[in-house]
Amino acid sequence: MAKTTLDKDLSKVTRLQSATHDLSRSIALPGLSILFLVAVTIFATLVVGDGPLAVYAIVGAVVAGYLALNIGANDVANNMGPAVGSKALPMAAALVIAGICEAAGAILAGGDVVATVSKGIITPPADLGTINFILVMTAALFAAAVWINLATVIGAPVSTTHSIVGAVLGSGVAAAGFGVVAWPTLGAIAASWVISPVLGGLVAAGLLGLIKVTILFRQDRIAAARTWVPLLIGLMSGVFTLYMLSKGLSRIWSPSGQTTLVLAGALSLGGWLAARPWVAHRSAVMENRRKEVSRLFVLPLICAAALLSFAHGANDVANAVGPLAAIVSAAQTGSATTAGDVALPLWVLAIGALGISLGLALFGPRLIRTVGEKITKMDAIRAYCVAQAAAITVLGASTLGLPVSSTHIAIGGIFGVGLLREILTNRGVRRRPNGAAPEPTDPSRPQPPAELTERQREKTEKRRLVRRRHAWSIAAAWVVTVPAAGVLAAGMYGLLSVLTQL
């Protein structure tokens, strides 16, 4: 039926409203970011007070706020992306949960030392002046923020830790030469580019394979789920207890190894006991279908994503406010050294926490969709495997002393479950060479209807369930992160040095 004039006019109005909404959003988001940075400027001015170097601390606070916004926009997607992509959480709920957990982790358990600022990659010389030291840290903050901002724009999840490491390296070399570089540490960082995604992918694929063999490939999936899902929830409880004590709460409570193991065992047992009646109740009305069984993993997935966000806020807030703490300390004491412990004031942690949460709310959805939807199709089971793999891999790598990146582990886990699905789906299927004619059929056997022939032909072709182009673009961004941030930081240090001499 042809459209009436009214239908056409209403369609134009709808498109105009959509365009107006997109335009207003594109203007509002940077505007809110600017308001946050203005508020940081005013707040830092009131807190820092007067002094010959106070202006450097204020500028550093603003740049740290800008970096925190970009960390929230990029890095948090790794924790919430699988949960959103699997439809376990709507975007709005994921943003609220992640924002609260990130801020709580940053403020309650955020780093209290500045040793994480340089990650041991540079050793500033004793004759490095206070002003030069402050410029090194300020340039590093700004360069890391710019690089993460660019990565977010192109939709590439990158390691914020590697960004700040590369930036500190670049500005440090620009200030004092290559003699300050700790090359073994850089070698470990380069190794993590390969170790992190490979380990994350293998662990996530292994967990998914275990679930398929023990539950999904069984004839009675519901009965199998009643046995195995509580065990998996118990495993998750124990793993995340270890993870939170070592990564999320280590700066406010550091129990002995024996106490940690006892707590992990107790909570693992408690999780298993609590999950048994819950799974039995939920599964009583379920059909014997994969989609129904997948619903049992939604609540564990949400809990895992929230805990990962808390631990991320506790650890990665130091990437934003660690250099700021060094700047504030140098401005107040006149000392230009990174040796020893430098306390992180609560107001410095607050800037990082609020910046990360605001950056997530304003700019996080794009990267969350990239991580959760554009690499491979996710459901609650696959997303659970990715979240569980992130905690297991970080714990195992830390125990073995292997350098890993939580960002790379999460992305590797997503590729791992996607590739396993692809392998299992294409098992026994051979790809027909391009241009080759289909195999002749036996005329004596019944033939399918003509309208189904093309569909059946598609099923006999190998299917790619992981988008390779995302793998190459993300890998390229990982490799480029350290040198790109370093070059930006070196240039920024040179510019700041010139400006301070005017």
Side-chain angles (χ1 to χ4, degrees):
M1 181 182 296
K3 288 186 177 181
T4 64
T5 301
L6 178 60
D7 291 333
K8 293 179 180 179
D9 290 342
L10 290 176
S11 178
K12 290 178 182 179
V13 171
T14 301
R15 291 197 298 269
L16 178 61
Q17 289 176 338
S18 177
T20 303
H21 176 268
D22 292 341
L23 178 61
S24 61
R25 180 177 174 83
S26 65
I27 296 174
L29 298 187
L32 291 173
S33 301
I34 292 173
L35 286 178
F36 170 72
L37 296 180
V38 170
V40 169
T41 304
I42 297 172
F43 179 68
T45 302
L46 297 175
V47 174
V48 171
D50 298 329
L53 301 178
V55 65
Y56 293 99
I58 296 171
V59 171
V62 175
V63 179
Y66 174 47
L67 175 57
L69 286 172
N70 286 285
I71 290 176
N74 192 291
D75 216 20
V76 183
N78 304 311
N79 300 325
M80 284 297 170
V84 173
S86 65
K87 305 297 188 293
L89 279 174
M91 180 65 75
L95 293 176
V96 171
I97 292 173
I100 293 174
C101 292
E102 289 279 340
I107 294 177
L108 298 178
D112 57 359
V113 296
V114 77
T116 55
V117 171
S118 63
K119 304 293 183 182
I121 63 169
I122 64 170
T123 305
D127 59 349
L128 183 67
T130 302
I131 298 296
N132 286 335
F133 173 77
I134 292 176
L135 295 183
V136 166
M137 292 300 169
T138 304
L141 282 172
F142 190 77
V146 169
W147 171 248
I148 298 171
N149 198 340
L150 291 173
T152 304
V153 169
I154 65 175
V158 296
S159 170
T160 55
T161 301
H162 287 180
S163 299
I164 194 65
V165 164
V168 171
L169 170 68
S171 57
V173 168
F178 284 95
V180 300
V181 179
W183 296 107
T185 304
L186 284 184
I189 292 171
S192 73
W193 295 337
V194 177
I195 295 173
S196 298
V198 170
L199 286 179
L202 290 175
V203 174
L207 286 171
L208 181 59
L210 175 66
I211 292 173
K212 285 182 176 293
V213 170
T214 57
I215 300 175
L216 301 181
F217 290 167
R218 296 295 180 91
Q219 186 173 2
D220 189 347
R221 297 188 180 97
I222 302 301
R226 288 172 182 161
T227 300
W228 284 96
V229 171
L231 290 174
L232 291 170
I233 292 176
L235 171 66
M236 187 190 82
S237 302
V239 167
F240 272 96
T241 299
L242 292 173
Y243 184 82
M244 294 299 292
L245 290 177
S246 63
K247 295 294 179 182
L249 300 172
S250 60
R251 295 183 178 90
I252 57 176
W253 184 39
S254 228
S256 65
Q258 184 177 2
T259 302
T260 299
L261 292 176
V262 170
L263 287 174
L267 288 177
S268 181
L269 178 61
W272 174 68
L273 292 174
R276 290 184 66 191
W278 178 77
V279 172
H281 175 72
R282 292 292 303 274
S283 62
V285 294
M286 285 185 175
E287 299 179 14
N288 189 29
R289 298 166 53 200
R290 186 190 193 285
K291 187 175 182 180
E292 293 287 301
V293 173
S294 180
R295 289 164 48 195
L296 295 174
F297 289 85
V298 171
L299 182 59
L301 169 60
I302 295 172
C303 294
L307 292 173
L308 286 173
S309 295
F310 183 93
H312 177 271
N315 284 274
D316 283 25
V317 69
N319 293 332
V321 301
L324 174 59
I327 293 170
V328 171
S329 176
Q332 293 176 344
T333 65
S335 173
T337 177
T338 58
D341 292 347
V342 178
L344 283 173
L346 181 60
W347 68 269
V348 171
L349 281 173
I351 289 175
L354 294 177
I356 289 175
S357 297
L358 183 61
L360 167 66
L362 297 180
F363 307 105
R366 180 177 180 180
L367 261 294
I368 288 176
R369 292 190 181 95
T370 296
V371 172
E373 301 174 3
K374 295 186 178 180
I375 297 175
T376 191
K377 185 177 180 180
M378 302 294 292
D379 63 7
I381 293 176
R382 297 166 200 146
Y384 164 83
C385 293
V386 173
Q388 181 80 309
I392 292 175
T393 306
V394 169
L395 285 173
S398 299
T399 302
L400 298 174
L402 298 176
V404 292
S405 164
S406 59
T407 300
H408 296 185
I409 290 171
I411 301 300
I414 293 172
F415 278 103
V417 297
L419 290 173
L420 178 64
R421 288 182 58 230
E422 185 176 296
I423 292 171
L424 295 177
T425 300
N426 295 324
R427 186 172 48 186
V429 176
R430 296 181 179 179
R431 180 177 293 278
R432 189 166 60 242
N434 291 334
E439 296 180 1
T441 57
D442 185 355
S444 64
R445 300 180 62 183
Q447 299 300 310
E451 63 269 16
L452 297 180
T453 303
E454 183 62 29
R455 182 181 175 186
Q456 289 185 342
R457 184 180 297 113
E458 290 177 358
K459 288 187 176 181
T460 64
E461 294 285 344
K462 285 187 176 181
R463 292 189 296 167
R464 289 194 169 188
L465 303 181
V466 177
R467 293 183 176 91
R468 265 65 169 177
R469 64 185 181 89
H470 286 290
W472 293 115
S473 61
I474 291 172
W478 289 352
V479 173
V480 172
T481 290
V482 170
V487 171
L488 286 172
M492 179 55 58
Y493 175 80
L495 177 61
L496 291 176
S497 298
V498 171
L499 292 176
T500 55
Q501 294 175 2
L502 294 179

